[in-house]
């Protein structure tokens, strides 16, 4: 049966229960062939009969879920002018909701800069490239509802679908490394034990392993090499047949929502897996190269690269912007995800050359009734000029705060002259976010993330050890701001190991008691190590996978993290919705909402902040001075606390502030001992009294209210 005209919208392959509408945008194409591929890899080519607004479309009765397909795009092939249509290429639909198969790295895939396509390519068959797949939109979501956890109550856990589950002993072997494995009750129970409210998944869009890694026998483990913005990665599905990854992903989201855990996706809209002018032609390059990619002004029309991957998406083009926005809406409405973390988000702000804080992309997000309501997290930098944009994103956005990471690392490794900036990071980074009307939760605080050392390695290595990556140790960051506590790598020295354990507790306690949104890295609570590798992007093996056998040895650390998140949850003074003001908040209150003290009990003066040798500080948090309101419009109140930090290598004796800040105090958290108390008992010290704060430790005291008799 010949194709019906169909409709130009929605783009992609849309099954309606009877047949499927196919629609593909290409301003460059003179003709588009839809290629239906059977189980044996044979093609049936059908020219899409209609074109409206550069969208080629047609409807096929009887074509339904599981049908594999691709496109062959006819049009000009003049690569020096940026035109790369080539019907010898079987192309992936940019709107494909499922993609099956892998890339066979044959030379015919590569986009050499000059020469006619007939001279250098045979027709790429279905056996050489991934294929798009028609999916069923139907799924029983039951009573699924998004948790909609407020930002100030959010605790994020960055994780990798495969890495988190591959070695989990309670996950059945056939489910390890999959969406179903992540949804397993044992994994969800662990997340709940930690107090996690949102899991931030490293890229789950369909991606490929680049040719260079294949030649080395390695893999693109992290997944920042997207080739399908609508398709869940097939490799993470236990049952990928008939596009089962879509149903399996939805089931994972539903299970996590039942546990009141949000799902945030790490998305890569800044570039694709097609690379530079020498890269493979897999999808957008052959459909409409000039529309989808940023090209240089001069000939030959090579790619502008702000990402370090060979290309950058052209966010100046309305059709590319539509692709990104349609993708975001799809993941929210059809897949029920709760937010996005945008990889190298500064690239999306480059309308011309410089980063534009008011670019069209951010305008579109701001006005979109669907996307604007979910969590939006920017990685606020790229590799282009002026790309470091921490603190400069629009008010709707939160940001990975790289300055928090660097400052907290510097403080706890004992770097001089860090007190002033440490105080700013601890209290929500008002210097970065307050001027444009944002709140403390605009800061996504982290000490470790997938890119860099794990927490265990941060306190165990001074230098990166990336030999396994096959790049001669040249890859990965050199500025790690780590400290090995005296010995490089693993050791049997009990004193060194005890110090490392204390340092891990210091980092975790600082992170979870800072204003802003804390983000934990998967496996840090277990003492996960990558043996000093700070760029394990290509290590799809035990080096990167979470070793759950560590749980037995590090059960105390897991318990410590869970108690910290519980402490944070129970005390809103550690997760305020507004910045501290440094003055009394309530009428008649003479005590400010925050105050800083030297270890001698005196209020900090300007010269104290600039002291190069200052490595200790005490901060008072006034629980009665919280300007927030709860859901009922009632003023939020809490107990008052003292937090004492000592990054010095020797114990110090510190004196508590005088009685106006509190008469008696009880120790609640002590990282030197690894103890957290749920409720204050008898007071440990009175106003003006003294306590010993051990070397390299953090102590939290709660004011004990005196009963009236």
């Amino acid at each position: 049966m010949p194709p019906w005209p169909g409709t130009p919208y929605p783009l992609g392959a849309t099954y309606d229960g009877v047949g499927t509408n196919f629609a593909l945008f290409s301003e460059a194409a003179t003709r588009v062939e839809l290629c239906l591929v059977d189980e044996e890899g044979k093609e049936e080519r059908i020219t899409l009969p209609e074109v409206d607004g550069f969208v080629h479309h047609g409807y096929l009765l009887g074509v339904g879920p599981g049908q594999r397909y691709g496109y062959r795009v006819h049009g000009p092939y003049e690569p020096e002018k940026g035109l790369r249509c080539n019907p010898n290429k079987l192309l992936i639909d940019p709107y494909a909701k499922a993609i099956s198969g892998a890339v066979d790295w044959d030379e015919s895939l590569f986009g050499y800069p000059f020469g006619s396509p007939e001279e250098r390519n045979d027709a790429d068959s279905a056996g050489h490239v991934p294929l798009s797949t028609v999916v069923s939109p139907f799924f029983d979501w039951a009573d699924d509802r998004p948790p909609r956890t407020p930002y100030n109550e959010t605790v994020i856990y960055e994780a990798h679908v495969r890495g988190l589950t591959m070695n989990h002993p309670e996950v059945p072997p056939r489910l390890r490394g999959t969406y179903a494995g992540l949804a397993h009750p044992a994994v969800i129970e662990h997340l709940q034990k930690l107090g996690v409210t949102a899991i931030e998944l490293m890229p789950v869009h369909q991606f490929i392993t680049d040719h260079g890694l294949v030649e080395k026998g390695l893999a693109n483990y992290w997944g920042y090499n997207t080739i399908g913005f609508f398709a869940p990665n097939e490799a993470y599905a236990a049952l990928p047949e008939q596009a089962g990854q879509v149903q399996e992903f939805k089931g994972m989201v539903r299970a996590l929502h039942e546990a009141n855990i949000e799902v945030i996706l790490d998305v890569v809209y800044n570039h694709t897996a097609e690379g530079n002018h020498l890269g493979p032609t897999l999808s957008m390059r052959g459909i409409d190269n000039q529309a989808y990619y940023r090209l240089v002004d001069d000939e030959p029309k090579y790619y502008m690269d702000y990402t370090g991957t060979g290309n950058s998406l052209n966010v100046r083009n309305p059709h590319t912007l539509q692709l990104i926005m349609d993708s975001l809406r799809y993941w929210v409405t059809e897949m029920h995800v709760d937010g996005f973390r945008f990889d190298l988000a500064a690239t999306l702000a480059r309308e011309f050359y410089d980063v534009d804080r008011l670019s069209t992309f951010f305008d579109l997000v701001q006005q979109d009734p669907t996307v604007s309501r979910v969590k939006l997290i920017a990685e606020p930098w790229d590799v282009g000029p002026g790309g470091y944009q921490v603190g400069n994103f629009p008010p709707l956005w939160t940001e990975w705060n790289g300055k928090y990471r660097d400052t907290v690392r510097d403080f706890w490794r004992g770097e001089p002259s860090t007190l002033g900036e440490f105080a700013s990071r601890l209290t929500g980074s008002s210097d970065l976010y307050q001027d444009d009307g944002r709140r403390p939760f605009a800061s996504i605080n982290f000490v470790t993330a997938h890119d860099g050392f794990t927490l265990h390695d941060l306190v165990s290595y001074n230098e990166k050890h990336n030999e396994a990556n096959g790049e001669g140790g040249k890859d990965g960051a050199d500025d790690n701001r780590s400290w090995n506590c005296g010995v490089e790598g693993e050791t049997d020295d009990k004193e060194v190991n005890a110090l490392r354990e204390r340092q891990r507790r210091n980092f975790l306690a600082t992170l979870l008691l800072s204003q802003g949104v804390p983000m934990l890295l998967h496996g840090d609570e277990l003492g996960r190590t990558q043996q000093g590798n700070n760029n394990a992007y290509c290590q799809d093996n035990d080096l990167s996978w979470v070793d759950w056998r560590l749980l037995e040895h590090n059960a105390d650390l897991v318990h410590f993290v869970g108690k910290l998140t519980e402490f944070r949850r129970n005390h809103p003074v550690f997760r305020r919705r507004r910045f501290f003001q440094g003055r009394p908040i309530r009428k008649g209150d003479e005590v400010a909402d925050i105050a800083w003290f030297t270890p001698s009990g005196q209020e900090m003066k300007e010269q104290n902040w600039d002291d190069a040798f200052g490595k200790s500080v005490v901060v008072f948090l006034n629980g009665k001075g919280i300007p927030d309101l709860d859901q009922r419009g009632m003023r939020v109140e809490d107990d008052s606390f003292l937090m004492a930090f000592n990054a010095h290598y020797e114990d110090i004796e510190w004196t508590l502030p005088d009685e106006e800040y509190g008469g008696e105090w009880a120790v609640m958290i002590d990282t030197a001992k690894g103890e957290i108390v749920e409720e204050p008992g008898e007071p440990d010290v009175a106003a003006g009294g003294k306590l010993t704060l051990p070397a390299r430790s953090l102590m939290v005291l709660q004011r004990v209210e005196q009963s009236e008799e």
Side-chain angles (χ1 to χ4, degrees), residues 50 67 79 151 242 357 405 437 496 540 547 590 617 636:
E50 295 291 333
Q67 175 65 59
Y151 264 122
Q242 298 291 311
R357 187 166 174 267
R405 171 201 59 206
V496 171
D540 188 7
D547 184 356
E590 297 182 357
V617 69
V636 175

Side-chain angles (χ1 to χ4, degrees), residues 384-668:
Y388 192 75
Q389 292 292 317
V390 173
N392 291 331
F393 275 69
L396 187 66
W397 291 69
T398 63
E399 302 175 15
W400 269 27
N401 190 345
K403 292 186 177 181
Y404 180 95
R405 171 201 59 206
D406 295 345
T407 300
V408 172
R409 288 186 177 191
D410 278 347
F411 177 78
W412 281 117
R413 69 182 177 134
E415 286 294 292
S417 303
T418 59
L419 278 184
E421 188 165 3
F422 178 74
S424 180
R425 305 297 157 241
L426 183 72
T427 54
S429 297
S430 60
D431 59 322
L432 300 176
Y433 305 114
Q434 189 171 27
D435 287 347
D436 58 9
R438 286 192 280 177
R439 304 288 180 84
F441 50 74
S443 177
I444 305 297
N445 299 329
F446 66 103
V447 174
T448 55
H450 68 272
D451 188 1
F453 282 144
T454 67
L455 184 60
H456 173 87
D457 291 357
L458 184 67
V459 299
S460 303
Y461 294 90
N462 283 352
E463 307 294 336
K464 63 185 181 183
H465 298 267
N466 296 359
E467 292 77 14
N469 296 353
E471 299 181 40
K474 297 180 180 179
D475 64 301
D478 294 313
D479 182 21
N480 294 291
R481 306 185 188 222
S482 59
W483 178 48
N484 64 17
C485 298
V487 176
E488 186 73 357
E490 303 304 316
T491 180
D492 293 328
D493 189 308
K494 293 182 178 180
E495 290 188 5
V496 171
N497 285 329
L499 176 56
R500 289 175 177 176
E501 290 178 6
R502 181 182 299 187
Q503 286 286 77
R504 288 191 297 181
R505 292 193 293 267
N506 288 335
F507 280 120
L508 290 166
T510 303
L511 174 65
L512 288 164
L513 298 178
S514 294
Q515 305 297 322
V517 179
M519 185 185 77
L520 300 162
L521 173 62
H522 75 179
D524 274 353
E525 74 280 4
L526 301 171
R528 183 175 75 92
T529 178
Q530 292 176 170
Q531 299 173 24
N533 191 319
N534 73 348
N535 189 36
Y537 76 102
C538 57
Q539 300 297 326
D540 188 7
N541 49 51
D542 285 329
L543 185 70
S544 290
W545 301 341
V546 173
D547 184 356
W548 290 91
R549 295 173 300 180
L550 295 169
L551 179 58
E552 181 178 355
H553 178 70
N554 290 288
D556 288 345
L557 188 60
V558 174
H559 179 76
F560 186 76
V561 173
K563 286 298 181 183
L564 278 172
T565 57
E566 182 181 8
F567 192 82
R568 176 188 180 87
R569 185 168 59 248
N570 291 339
H571 295 289
V573 74
F574 295 103
R575 47 179 178 82
R576 291 164 49 113
R577 296 182 64 251
R578 290 172 173 79
F579 287 106
F580 291 101
Q581 299 178 37
R583 61 175 180 81
I585 300 300
R586 297 192 308 175
K587 186 176 181 180
D589 194 347
E590 297 182 357
V591 180
D593 57 353
I594 188 170
W596 299 90
F597 300 91
T598 66
S600 64
Q602 303 300 310
E603 286 204 48
M604 292 281 287
K605 294 182 172 56
E606 191 66 35
Q607 61 267 27
N608 299 130
W609 292 114
D610 297 330
D611 186 353
F613 300 100
K615 298 179 182 179
S616 302
V617 69
V618 178
V619 57
F620 166 77
L621 304 181
N622 186 355
K624 307 301 181 186
I626 304 176
D628 302 343
L629 302 178
D630 62 21
Q631 296 297 320
R632 299 171 299 171
M634 304 295 291
R635 183 175 294 280
V636 175
E637 289 196 354
D638 193 9
D639 301 297
S640 295
F641 294 88
L642 288 170
M643 300 175 68
F645 299 86
N646 180 19
H648 191 45
Y649 59 82
E650 292 181 334
D651 297 352
I652 63 169
E653 186 177 66
W654 64 288
T655 303
L656 274 68
D658 59 36
E659 195 165 345
E660 69 174 310
Y661 294 96
E664 295 180 317
W665 299 85
V667 176
M668 304 298 292

Side-chain angles (χ1 to χ4, degrees), residues 99-178:
I99 297 173
S100 63
V103 173
D104 176 10
W105 286 105
D106 185 271
E107 286 187 359
S108 66
L109 289 173
F110 291 91
Y112 295 103
F114 305 112
S116 70
E118 292 79 14
E119 290 175 349
R120 53 187 188 79
N121 293 320
D122 296 323
D124 291 329
S125 70
H128 290 279
V129 293
L131 294 170
S132 309
T133 307
V134 178
V135 305
S136 170
F138 309 115
F139 180 77
D140 182 10
W141 282 104
D143 59 351
D144 180 71
R145 295 182 181 180
R148 295 198 184 281
T149 306
Y151 264 122
N152 69 313
E153 298 176 13
T154 297
V155 176
I156 297 174
Y157 189 79
E158 189 193 26
H160 189 285
V161 171
R162 186 167 169 83
L164 184 62
T165 60
M166 276 300 291
N167 284 328
H168 200 297
E170 295 183 51
V171 175
R174 63 185 179 85
L175 300 183
R176 293 174 186 170
T178 70

